Amino acid sequence: RNEVSEVRLRLKRHESDMKSAPEAVSRLFRTVGVVGAGQMGSGIAEVAALANLEVVMVDKTDQALASGLQTIRESLERFVEKKALSNEQAQEAIRRIRVTTHLKEMADRDFVIEAIGEDEELKRTIFNKLDRITPKHAILATNTSALSITRIAGATKRPEKVLGVHFLNPPAIVKLVEITKGMGTDYDTYHATKELVESMGKVTCTSADRPGFIINRILMPMINEAFFVLMEGVSSAEEIDLGLQLGTNLPLGPLSLADFLGLDVCLSTLQSIHKGTGDSKYRPCPLLVQHVDAGKLGRKTGCGVYTYFTSGEKE
């Protein structure tokens, strides 16, 4: 009985901590910066704004920023249509997002997350600039899904305040966020970031700084093998997806998922893991490479493994 009482007491304390966490986090992080207004950057900005944080989203061009804001508006409208948000909540979220083409606007941010493409040198350049622009207390995060956090942090003079915060696509829908600690990431940075992400309504998992981290280290080889099976004529794309979807209870087959993620993204992630591990089991399938070389990148180009209508539905 004493043991049961102790467990119940701990659960009550945990529930109390969870209820007070958003308020504590809001005092620590009031302002968030997002570098990149693409699919991931705009999605992360949306999630942060819905968590009552003031957001600045930066990109190189006004066109990219306008496109990012439109993506956010369309996503919020869908939530309103589904009765998940009120129209007032959606409008308030939009008002919390400010856009700019000037990286120097990150000068007052408490937390900045970079969400550009998987180009390590460009990320290092951005982090070097952010290190000089942002306050000394600011945490700098990258949304990379495979690149070394330690190498990116090496471009700054604050490696202890750098870590990976990998939102999955689409950020507003997928519940999980993968947090990766670099070699220099300190305890306070990790735990403050974890609390911030959880205050946004997300669930976190934590990875060491290894190529592909957790999710892509497992997911990308499955997608790659599906391309090998297709290339070798073992079965059709439809049958491969059907088998995996129903046979393993996946919401989407691996080839359909690859089209959704972008075949270029899948290829670059596999190349990064292959280079980082030196293991031939991560060698990209030649058929995947051919699709990317042909510009058949999936849903975003209207053609990948499958062909798509403008609505995004398969032909």
Side-chain angles (χ1 to χ4, degrees), residues 192-234:
T193 300
K194 187 174 188 292
E195 288 183 5
L196 173 65
V197 172
E198 290 173 352
S199 78
M200 296 178 186
K202 300 299 184 182
V203 175
T204 63
C205 63
T206 304
S207 172
D209 189 14
R210 298 290 185 272
F213 313 138
I214 301 169
I215 298 166
N216 281 332
R217 184 74 174 263
I218 298 168
L219 176 62
M220 287 302 155
M222 180 185 73
I223 288 174
N224 199 41
E225 194 62 27
F227 272 95
F228 273 112
V229 171
L230 180 63
M231 183 180 72
E232 293 168 8
V234 176

Side-chain angles (χ1 to χ4, degrees), residues 17-195:
D17 289 344
M18 290 301 291
K19 288 176 182 177
S20 63
E23 183 180 352
V25 170
S26 68
R27 289 197 297 268
L28 183 61
F29 298 106
R30 295 186 182 275
T31 59
V32 170
V34 180
V35 180
Q39 190 170 18
M40 295 306 300
S42 61
I44 294 168
E46 177 186 352
V47 170
L50 285 171
N52 299 320
L53 294 162
E54 297 299 322
V55 182
V56 170
M57 183 169 67
V58 63
D59 210 311
K60 293 185 293 184
T61 68
D62 290 329
Q63 183 179 0
L65 291 167
S67 177
L69 277 177
Q70 183 59 28
T71 298
I72 293 170
R73 288 192 183 96
E74 290 173 357
S75 174
L76 291 171
E77 285 170 5
R78 287 192 292 271
F79 282 126
V80 171
E81 289 171 2
K82 294 176 181 178
K83 309 296 184 185
L85 285 177
S86 68
N87 188 59
E88 292 74 18
Q89 288 173 316
Q91 293 304 314
E92 286 174 8
I94 284 290
R95 285 194 289 270
R96 292 190 192 101
I97 302 172
R98 179 164 59 88
V99 298
T100 178
T101 56
H102 302 290
L103 196 64
K104 64 182 180 182
E105 295 295 322
M106 298 294 171
D108 64 345
R109 302 290 96 179
D110 298 318
F111 185 94
V112 179
I113 181 165
E114 161 274 312
I116 65 167
E118 295 289 72
D119 182 330
E120 185 174 316
E121 285 310 308
L122 182 55
K123 287 179 187 286
R124 283 175 54 84
T125 298
I126 289 171
F127 270 73
N128 182 265
K129 292 178 180 178
L130 288 172
D131 187 40
R132 289 181 275 119
I133 292 169
T134 56
K136 294 301 180 184
H137 72 268
I139 291 174
L140 305 180
T142 173
N143 190 58
T144 182
S145 61
L147 298 175
S148 168
I149 307 303
T150 302
R151 287 200 300 270
I152 292 170
T156 75
K157 294 181 180 179
R158 60 176 100 176
E160 72 282 357
K161 292 190 176 294
V162 178
L163 76 173
V165 179
H166 177 209
F167 284 80
L168 281 78
N169 189 27
I173 300 295
V174 180
K175 193 77 172 175
L176 187 77
V177 173
E178 184 178 40
I179 298 178
T180 302
K181 297 183 286 185
M183 182 172 284
T185 306
D186 68 20
Y187 177 90
D188 290 340
T189 295
Y190 166 71
H191 280 278
T193 300
K194 187 174 188 292
E195 288 183 5

Side-chain angles (χ1 to χ4, degrees), residues 230 235-245 255-256 305-306 314-315:
L230 180 63
S235 193
S236 67
E238 292 81 2
E239 293 291 321
I240 293 167
D241 275 349
L242 181 66
L244 268 293
Q245 189 174 359
L255 297 173
S256 293
V305 177
Y306 300 98
K314 292 177 185 175
E315 287 189 1

